[in-house]
Every structure is written in C-alpha cells, then in structure tokens.
Amino acid sequence: MNNKEFPLTREQVRFYRQNGYIQLHNVLSPQEVSELRKILTRAVKDRKKKFDPTQIQFTDDYQKVFTQVVNLWQDYEEIQPYIHSPKLAEIARRLVGCRSIRLWHDHALIKPGRDGVETKWHQDFPYWPMNEPGALSCWIALDDVSEKNGCLSFIPGSHQKGRLKPVSLTNRQNIFRQAGMKKRDIQPVAMEMKAGSCTFHDGNTFHYAGGNTTSRPRRALAIIYFPSGTTYNGAPHVVTDDLGFEVGAKLQGPRFPVLAKK
Ligand SMILES: O=C(O)CCC(=O)C(=O)O
C-alpha cells in the first residue's frame, strides 16, 4: 500500500470535530481496492468454512444486517499493510488530535446483493468497552456506494450527544427518541462515494446504512482506532473477552499496536 501522507487540511480536521465525520476521496488506488476485494472474498470463504462464532459475528444482530469478519490482520499477512497503514492511522490521529493512536480492530462489512436489510441508526461507542471517548472508524468503500446499495449516512453533530444506551441494529428502537431529538434535528447526510474513498466517524456519531437493493454485493473494510491511554470499562466484547484486562487498565499490548504517533 502506498503510504505517502494524505493531504488532510485544517478545515477538514475542524469539520470532523464539529460534525463527527469526514469523507475523504481517493485514499486508496484502484489497484489497492482490487487487492483488498480479493483478500476479503477469500477471508469470508475461509471463515464461513471453519465457522468460528467469535470471528464471523459479534451478535445475532450483526449477522442479520451484514456478513461481518473481524480482525483479518491476524490471519492474512497480505492485509496487514492496509490495517497497519501509517497513512490511514495518521489521518485518524490528526482528526482526534491525540499524541498516539492504536488499532482496536478491523472488520469486513459485506451487504450481499438484493439484501434489503438496513443497519438501523446507532452509535458504535456503546458497544466498545472503553471509558474515554475518541475512538473512531475508518470505513473504506470497496465498491462504489450510494443510497441504492447501502452507503453510510450520518447525523452531523450527533457525536455531541455523548454515549447513549446501545440500541438493537435490527429493531425499531429509536435512538433519536433516546437523544431527545425532534424531527427537524434529524438531517441525515448520505456518504455516496467511489470505491477507494472513505469516511472517518467518531464512535458517538449516529449512523445508518440502507439495504442493498442492487444485484451486486456492497463490500467495505472498516478499521477502528482509539487514542493511546484509553482505559477498559469491563463491558463484554469479543476483542477483549479473552485478554484478562482489569477494569480501569489501559488498553494496550500486541493486539492493539500503536500505528501513528506525533
Ligand atoms: O457497513 C454498514 O452497513 C454499517 C457499518 C457500521 O455501522 C460501522 O462501520 O460502524
């Protein structure tokens, strides 16, 4: 992967902090996208063959809305330059404004063709066992995405609501009601973009993806980062359950490598 620094501007950093998301175009080349598609296809096939519930899904909810494969970097050496990319991690570090940033985990998110299931409005942070906010996802489109095949949409500024209670990804629990938001406050922005472009969103930003109404799969790779120094809050999570962290301990160690520092 080409790790030439991405020309992130101060305005883009300001936009991210104010709105809780940013869209960045042409971060990966067509060759890089094509390589990632191949790795994803193989990984999904492999993981489905030797079905391991801790790797293919987080919860039944996740499985209902997309095929999810977690922590590809631990099994596929050829994906490591992407997941550990200093270019992507440095964008994340600058957006957050921290001294050093670590990998939380990666995951492939695939919505098969003609799959009408939507990913309901939710925040990510309530599912992560972290005390301090700041963690963020980089969602890389590996197909051109639009509202027809399940691109992400965000509510600008919704990260400022802070961490709410987790909502089901499939049921009609209403995060907007929980946040006390009126209809006029709900102005989603759809992140249509070409393959190789990406979005970064804060763990507290409300987001949604519609069903895939096209005949082709919608493939995406997400990489999640968190600021070094973030501590463990003891909530169950597939990535930390076997690691024996004490509540309040710093999340660190070889499973959470530092990927960029000032
Ligand atoms: O890819 C999707 O459909 C939803 C992804 C999502 O919710 C996330 O990356 O946080």
Side-chain angles (χ1 to χ4, degrees), residues 39-185:
I39 304 170
L40 253 59
T41 307
R42 194 147 62 80
V44 170
K45 242 194 233 156
D46 288 356
R47 293 264 174 103
K48 276 189 170 158
K49 244 190 272 163
K50 51 171 181 160
F51 180 74
D52 172 351
T54 65
Q55 294 293 319
I56 194 87
Q57 66 184 65
F58 275 2
T59 63
D60 282 350
D61 247 17
Y62 269 90
Q63 204 192 20
K64 278 181 211 149
V65 294
F66 37 58
T67 304
Q68 187 201 33
V69 188
V70 178
N71 267 342
L72 294 170
W73 74 275
Q74 291 173 1
D75 285 351
Y76 299 91
E77 213 175 298
E78 63 275 33
I79 207 170
Q80 286 178 7
Y82 295 93
I83 308 303
H84 293 170
S85 158
K87 169 165 104 175
L88 297 175
E90 178 60 10
I91 298 173
R93 191 196 67 75
R94 283 196 53 206
L95 291 173
V96 179
C98 56
R99 291 193 67 76
S100 143
I101 201 135
R102 290 179 182 270
L103 175 67
W104 174 232
H105 68 79
D106 66 58
H107 53 167
L109 300 166
I110 301 166
K111 285 201 183 221
R114 301 250 174 266
D115 175 84
V117 187
E118 50 180 357
T119 318
K120 300 277 191 237
W121 284 102
H122 68 284
Q123 298 175 304
D124 296 327
F125 198 53
Y127 302 98
W128 296 337
M130 300 174 189
N131 285 313
E132 301 78 10
L136 73 169
S137 295
C138 169
W139 192 100
I140 305 168
L142 299 180
D143 293 289
D144 295 353
V145 289
S146 71
E147 289 188 90
K148 288 203 178 85
N149 66 351
C151 70
L152 288 184
S153 291
F154 298 115
I155 304 290
S158 52
H159 62 309
Q160 290 163 17
K161 297 279 177 195
R163 171 158 37 197
L164 303 174
K165 287 200 222 82
V167 294
S168 158
L169 291 185
T170 50
N171 288 337
R172 285 211 167 272
Q173 285 169 313
N174 195 324
I175 193 168
F176 300 113
R177 199 171 314 128
Q178 207 194 131
M181 285 164 78
K182 302 258 164 4
K183 232 184 178 156
R184 64 165 187 274
D185 305 323

Side-chain angles (χ1 to χ4, degrees), residues 183-200:
K183 232 184 178 156
R184 64 165 187 274
D185 305 323
I186 304 168
Q187 310 271 357
V189 184
M191 296 288 110
E192 299 203 335
M193 58 190 172
K194 296 276 180 213
S197 296
C198 70
T199 54
F200 283 79

